[in-house]
C-alpha cells in the first residue's frame, strides 16, 4: 500500500477508515440466534457491511462499526433482530 | 525564440498547449471564447495531443479537470464572469483536494445588467476558495505567467490550483507582440507532472471522503502553509524564468520607479500597465511617486505591503467593489498595515463595468491625493462628478 505525504481527505481501503462509527448509534440491533433461520437477508442488505456470515450459516454483528440504521431488523422476516434503544454511556 | 503577434486569449492558448496538458476541459463564454477556439485550433493542427473535452457547463469543465487531475493528469481550463461563478463549488473542491488545475479567467462584469467588459468582481468573489490568483497586465505577462503557474501549482510544496486573471477585451482581444520560446526550452523549464496523490487502480484510495473536525482543520492549515510557501516560490520561479528567457514582470508585486517615492500607487491588472504612463508623466512634473502593481492577490503579499507602507503613503485603485465594504485591494492593504505602519492609504473605485481608466484618469487620482483633496475612500469619475 503506497502512502501519500499530503494533507487532504484521502482514505485507504481498510476496516473502519472513518473511525469507530458504532458510537453514532441510538438504537442497537439485538440478534436472537435461536429465532434466526439463516436466510442471510440482513447480511445482504446491511449498508455498512458490518454483518459477517460464519461458516455454519449464523451471523454476527460488529457493534464497533454498526451505526444502528435498522435496515437489518426491517428485512428480517422472523423478527430475529429487534432494535433496542441503547443505554446512555 | 520567435515573436507571435496575437490577442491575450490566443497567447494564453499557445502557452497552455506548450505546457503539454493531458486534459483540457472548457466551455466557451465571452470574452474567453477565443481562448477555447485557440485550443481547438491546436487540436486540429495536432499541436495539442491531449484530451480536449467539450462539456455542457463550466461546473462540468471544472469537475472534469478535477477528475483528470485526481487521476494524475496535467489539466488546464479557462472561463470568465458567470462561468467562473457557476464553477464556484468546484473551485473549493479543486483546492481542498490539492489538485493543481491551471485556469485562465478573463475578468468580466457580473450581471445584471448584461455587460461583457472588464471588471474584477468575478475573481474577487472567488477570493476565499484557496486558489492562487495572479493578475496580469500585458499579453507577454499572460504567456509567461501561464507557464510559470504550472510549475508553481504542481510544485510539491504548493499542490494548489492557480487562476491567471486578465482584463476582458483590454487584454483578451488586443493583439501585442509576444516572445514565444521553443518547445524544448519550455520542456526544460517545466518538468512532467508528479502529483501529490492520485487515483490508481493498482493502489486504490478514495478522496473527498468524510473527515472529522480535527482533521478538517489540518487540511485547511496545510492549504494556508502552501500559500505561505508560494510567497517564496513565486519569486524563485519568476527569477528562473528571467534567467532562462530574459523576461520579468515582478514577483508578488511589480515595483516601478518606487525609489525615493513618497507616494506609491497600487493597482492590479491592465490598470497597472496604464499606471506606468501616469507615473512617468507625474515623475516628469517632479512628483515623487512610484507604482506597486500587485500580481498575486492570493497569497496576499502582506510583507511587501508593510515595506511599501513604511516608505510612502499609498493610493489604491480597485476595479472591483465589495458592496457594503470597499475595494478588495484597498481593504486588504490596510489590514496588512495595521500596527505595522502609519502610512495614509487612499482607496478609489474606478473602471467598473469596463469603463476606460486612462493614464489621465490615474494622474487625476494621484494628484487629488497629493493635493490633499481626496477622501479616505471614494468613487472616481462617476457621471456628473
Amino acid at each position: 500500500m503506497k502512502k501519500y505525504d499530503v494533507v487532504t481527505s484521502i482514505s485507504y481501503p481498510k476496516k473502519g477508515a472513518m473511525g469507530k462509527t458504532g458510537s453514532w448509534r441510538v438504537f442497537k440491533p439485538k440478534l436472537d440466534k435461536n429465532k434466526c433461520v439463516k436466510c442471510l437477508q440482513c447480511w445482504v442488505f446491511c449498508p455498512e457491511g458490518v454483518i459477517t456470515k460464519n461458516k455454519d450459516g449464523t451471523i454476527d454483528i460488529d457493534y464497533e462499526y454498526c451505526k444502528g440504521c435498522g435496515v437489518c431488523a426491517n428485512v428480517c422476516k422472523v423478527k430475529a433482530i429487534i432494535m433496542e434503544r441503547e443505554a446512555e454511556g | 525564440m520567435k515573436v507571435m503577434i496575437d490577442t491575450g486569449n490566443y497567447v494564453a492558448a499557445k502557452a497552455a498547449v506548450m505546457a503539454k496538458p493531458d486534459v483540457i476541459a472548457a466551455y466557451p463564454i465571452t470574452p474567453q471564447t477565443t481562448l477555447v477556439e485557440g485550443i481547438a485550433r491546436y487540436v486540429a493542427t495536432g499541436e495539442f495531443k491531449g484530451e480536449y473535452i467539450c462539456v455542457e457547463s463550466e461546473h462540468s469543465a471544472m469537475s472534469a479537470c478535477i477528475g483528470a487531475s485526481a487521476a494524475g493528469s496535467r489539466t488546464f481550463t479557462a472561463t470568465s464572469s458567470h462561468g467562473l461563478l457557476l464553477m464556484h463549488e468546484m473551485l473549493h473542491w479543486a483546492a481542498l483536494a490539492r489538485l493543481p488545475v491551471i485556469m485562465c479567467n478573463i475578468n468580466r462584469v457580473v450581471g445584471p445588467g448584461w455587460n461583457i467588459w472588464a471588471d474584477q468582481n468575478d475573481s474577487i468573489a472567488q477570493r476565499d476558495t484557496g486558489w492562487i490568483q495572479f493578475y496580469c497586465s500585458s499579453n507577454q505577462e499572460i504567456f509567461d505567467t501561464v507557464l510559470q503557474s504550472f510549475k508553481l501549482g504542481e510544485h510539491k510544496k504548493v499542490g494548489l490550483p492557480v487562476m491567471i486573471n486578465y482584463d476582458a477585451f483590454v487584454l483578451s482581444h488586443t493583439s501585442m507582440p509576444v516572445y514565444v520560446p521553443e518547445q524544448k526550452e519550455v520542456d526544460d523549464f517545466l518538468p512532467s507532472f508528479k502529483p501529490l496523490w492520485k487515483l490508481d487502480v493498482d493502489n486504490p484510495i478514495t478522496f473527498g471522503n468524510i473527515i472529522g473536525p480535527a482533521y478538517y482543520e489540518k487540511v485547511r492549515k496545510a492549504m494556508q502553509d502552501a500559500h505561505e510557501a508560494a510567497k517564496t516560490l513565486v519569486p524563485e520561479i519568476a527569477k528562473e524564468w528571467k534567467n532562462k528567457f530574459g523576461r520579468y514582470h515582478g514577483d508578488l508585486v511589480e515595483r516601478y520607479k518606487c525609489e525615493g517615492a513618497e507616494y506609491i500607487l497600487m493597482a492590479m491588472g491592465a490598470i497597472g500597465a496604464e499606471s506606468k504612463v501616469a507615473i512617468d508623466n507625474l515623475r516628469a512634473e517632479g512628483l515623487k511617486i512610484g507604482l506597486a502593481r500587485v500580481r498575486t492577490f492570493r497569497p496576499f503579499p502582506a510583507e511587501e505591503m508593510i515595506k511599501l507602507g513604511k516608505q510612502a503613503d499609498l493610493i489604491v485603485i480597485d476595479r472591483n467593489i465589495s458592496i457594503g465594504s470597499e475595494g478588495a485591494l484597498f481593504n486588504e492593504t490596510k489590514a496588512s498595515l495595521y500596527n505595522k505602519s502609519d502610512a495614509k492609504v487612499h482607496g478609489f473605485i474606478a473602471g467598473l463595468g469596463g469603463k476606460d481608466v486612462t493614464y489621465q484618469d490615474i494622474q487625476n487620482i494621484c494628484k487629488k491625493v497629493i493635493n490633499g483633496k481626496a477622501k479616505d475612500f471614494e468613487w472616481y469619475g462617476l457621471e456628473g462628478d
Side-chain angles (χ1 to χ4, degrees):
Chain A
M1 174 90 51
K2 183 180 174 190
K3 286 281 183 182
Y4 294 108
D5 184 25
V6 61
V7 186
T8 185
S9 61
I10 283 174
S11 90
Y12 300 89
K14 71 174 212 254
K15 188 173 171 180
M18 177 51 210
K20 302 251 192 278
T21 47
S23 65
W24 301 13
R25 256 194 329 268
V26 178
F27 292 92
K28 180 178 181 173
K30 205 159 166 274
L31 171 67
D32 183 343
K33 288 203 173 189
N34 297 324
K35 279 189 184 172
C36 173
V37 294
K38 303 178 185 175
C39 72
L40 296 178
Q41 285 297 288
C42 58
W43 175 77
V44 169
F45 281 97
C46 173
E48 292 295 355
V50 302
I51 297 180
T52 49
K53 175 177 67 161
N54 302 318
K55 280 199 174 69
D56 61 357
T58 58
I59 60 134
D60 284 304
I61 301 170
D62 186 343
Y63 293 111
E64 282 209 314
Y65 299 106
C66 165
K67 296 172 183 169
C69 73
V71 166
C72 54
N74 207 40
V75 297
C76 182
K77 299 294 179 225
V78 294
K79 299 279 182 284
I81 303 175
I82 51 164
M83 300 302 289
E84 276 189 353
R85 183 177 282 277
E86 274 195 298
E88 288 294 319
Chain B
M1 189 82 75
K2 58 179 182 292
V3 176
M4 166 184 185
I5 300 174
D6 223 325
T7 62
N9 279 350
Y10 284 127
V11 161
K14 178 75 180 170
V17 166
M18 287 187 95
K20 296 183 177 171
D22 302 292
V23 173
I24 298 177
Y27 188 84
I29 178 170
T30 304
Q32 155 269 29
T33 310
T34 51
L35 199 165
V36 176
E37 286 171 7
I39 305 273
R41 187 176 56 183
Y42 292 122
V43 173
T45 60
E47 195 171 329
F48 176 56
K49 294 179 177 62
E51 284 288 327
Y52 192 34
I53 309 174
C54 294
V55 284
E56 75 286 10
S57 78
E58 287 85 358
H59 189 283
S60 302
M62 186 47 61
S63 302
C65 286
I66 287 168
S69 190
S73 301
R74 175 171 287 166
T75 54
F76 177 81
T77 185
T79 190
S80 202
S81 179
H82 289 260
L84 185 68
L85 302 188
L86 184 58
M87 284 183 181
H88 178 75
E89 179 200 2
M90 301 325 286
L91 297 183
H92 283 283
W93 260 90
L96 282 153
R98 308 296 298 275
L99 299 169
V101 178
I102 308 302
M103 171 165 70
C104 284
N105 175 62
I106 294 79
N107 284 129
R108 169 195 146 180
V109 171
V110 172
W114 213 240
N115 171 318
I116 53 173
W117 297 292
D119 189 304
Q120 290 166 343
N121 256 92
D122 57 351
S123 57
I124 293 297
Q126 313 310 321
R127 185 185 62 176
D128 304 334
T129 54
W131 281 59
I132 288 168
Q133 284 198 359
F134 282 100
Y135 288 81
C136 297
S137 66
S138 72
N139 290 5
Q140 184 70 65
E141 188 180 4
I142 294 168
F143 183 91
D144 297 352
T145 307
V146 166
L147 283 162
Q148 288 176 33
S149 292
F150 278 99
K151 187 152 189 165
L152 175 73
E154 293 173 2
H155 193 285
K156 65 178 191 301
K157 287 184 183 163
V158 180
L160 284 170
V162 186
M163 196 185 295
I164 301 103
N165 295 285
Y166 53 92
D167 304 60
F169 296 99
V170 181
L171 295 176
S172 70
H173 286 63
T174 303
S175 284
M176 303 179 192
V178 169
Y179 288 101
V180 176
E182 300 301 320
Q183 183 65 59
K184 195 195 164 305
E185 293 174 308
V186 172
D187 294 346
D188 290 345
F189 168 79
L190 183 63
S192 61
F193 177 36
K194 292 185 183 57
L196 295 180
W197 63 271
K198 69 170 185 176
L199 297 175
D200 179 358
V201 288
D202 297 326
N203 184 45
I205 55 166
T206 60
F207 83 101
N209 45 288
I210 193 165
I211 52 170
Y215 281 119
Y216 186 81
E217 233 172 23
K218 286 192 174 81
V219 168
R220 280 287 189 204
K221 175 64 168 59
M223 289 167 78
Q224 180 77 353
D225 294 345
H227 269 262
E228 282 302 320
K231 282 185 184 177
T232 309
L233 283 162
V234 169
E236 267 179 35
I237 293 168
K239 281 180 185 69
E240 187 193 348
W241 185 270
K242 185 181 175 184
N243 293 339
K244 230 178 162 51
F245 303 110
R247 292 185 306 275
Y248 179 71
H249 311 280
D251 31 61
L252 302 169
V253 174
E254 181 193 22
R255 289 161 178 255
Y256 183 75
K257 300 195 175 176
C258 285
E259 302 77 25
E262 290 164 8
Y263 293 92
I264 290 175
L265 171 66
M266 291 169 52
M268 299 193 297
I271 292 176
E274 189 75 5
S275 293
K276 290 180 184 176
V277 181
I279 296 296
D280 287 345
N281 293 341
L282 295 167
R283 281 276 185 180
E285 290 179 33
L287 296 169
K288 291 180 177 165
I289 187 161
L291 166 73
R293 181 177 65 86
V294 175
R295 292 187 69 233
T296 59
F297 185 61
R298 282 292 177 273
F300 193 73
E303 296 80 3
E304 294 291 322
M305 299 293 133
I306 293 162
K307 280 182 208 159
L308 296 168
K310 283 195 186 329
Q311 176 189 338
D313 285 346
L314 306 178
I315 306 163
V316 185
I317 300 177
D318 268 295
R319 192 171 222 156
N320 64 73
I321 171 79
S322 178
I323 299 292
S325 178
E326 47 199 12
L329 182 59
F330 176 52
N331 193 301
E332 302 214 8
T333 300
K334 286 190 298 177
S336 52
L337 296 184
Y338 184 71
N339 273 349
K340 303 280 196 312
S341 124
D342 49 13
K344 287 192 180 67
V345 187
H346 292 274
F348 290 84
I349 301 295
L352 300 191
K355 198 174 186 181
D356 251 351
V357 181
T358 65
Y359 65 83
Q360 195 65 54
D361 292 323
I362 297 165
Q363 285 163 220
N364 293 345
I365 285 171
C366 294
K367 281 189 172 165
K368 197 170 184 181
V369 172
I370 292 167
N371 296 334
K373 292 196 161 43
K375 302 188 190 85
D376 289 350
F377 173 62
E378 57 180 279
W379 292 59
Y380 172 78
L382 287 177
E383 296 304 328
D385 264 13

